[in-house]
């Protein structure tokens, strides 16, 4: 179950990163709420796209091999997602439209952060690890 979640998260975050890198202006207009954060900055969108691409790779790797070393890489990726989510939460806390913003941002920002924290901070069972060990 965790490996499937990690694969889905890796795919979604990686696809988001690729879209930001390859079609930043399209991404900027297509993602709800992004245009409210300020004018389009192609360099900034590509910077964040690179971070999302790394997050996607880390969780795809975790799906393939949930070993201690790989989980360490995924913890760093989860930290990015969690901090991003906390930024959205803190901004919503001081805004009269905060609940509407959180409802809009939940599927793409808060939920991925929660899933990432679950995948990296809870133990994997023996069955999940048995098929993931690196060959000797």
């Amino acid at each position: 179950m965790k490996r499937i979640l990690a694969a889905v998260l890796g795919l979604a975050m990686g696809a988001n990163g690729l879209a930001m890198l390859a079609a930043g202006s399209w991404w900027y207009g297509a993602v709800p709420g992004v245009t409210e954060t300020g004018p389009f900055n192609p360099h900034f969108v590509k910077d964040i796209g690179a971070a999302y691409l790394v997050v996607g790779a880390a969780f795809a790797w975790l799906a393939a091999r949930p070993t201690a070393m790989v989980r360490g890489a995924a913890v760093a990726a989860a930290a990015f997602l969690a901090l991003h989510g906390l930024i959205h939460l803190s901004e919503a806390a001081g805004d009269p439209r905060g609940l509407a913003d959180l409802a809009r941002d939940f599927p793409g920002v808060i939920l991925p952060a929660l899933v990432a924290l679950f995948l990296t901070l809870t133990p994997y069972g023996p069955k999940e690890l048995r098929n993931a060990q690196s060959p000797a």
Side-chain angles (χ1 to χ4, degrees), residues 42 82 84 129:
H84 182 215
L129 295 173

Side-chain angles (χ1 to χ4, degrees), residues 3-71:
R3 293 176 75 188
I4 292 169
L5 275 176
V8 169
L9 186 62
L11 181 63
M13 298 298 98
N16 185 56
L18 284 174
M20 293 173 83
L21 287 166
S25 60
W26 170 83
W27 176 92
Y28 178 82
V31 176
V34 173
T35 58
E36 297 170 27
T37 65
F40 174 63
N41 179 330
H43 181 95
F44 185 69
V45 170
K46 287 179 182 178
D47 284 346
I48 303 303
Y52 270 103
L53 193 58
V54 171
V55 167
F59 282 99
W61 192 19
L62 183 66
R65 298 240 181 256
T67 62
M69 180 183 74
V70 176
R71 286 184 73 191

Side-chain angles (χ1 to χ4, degrees), residues 94-124:
D95 187 340
R97 301 174 319 186
L99 286 178
D101 290 347
L102 285 179
R104 178 199 64 216
D105 295 345
F106 185 82
V109 178
I110 308 299
L111 183 60
L114 293 173
V115 170
L117 291 171
F118 168 73
L119 290 171
T120 57
L121 300 179
T122 60
Y124 281 64

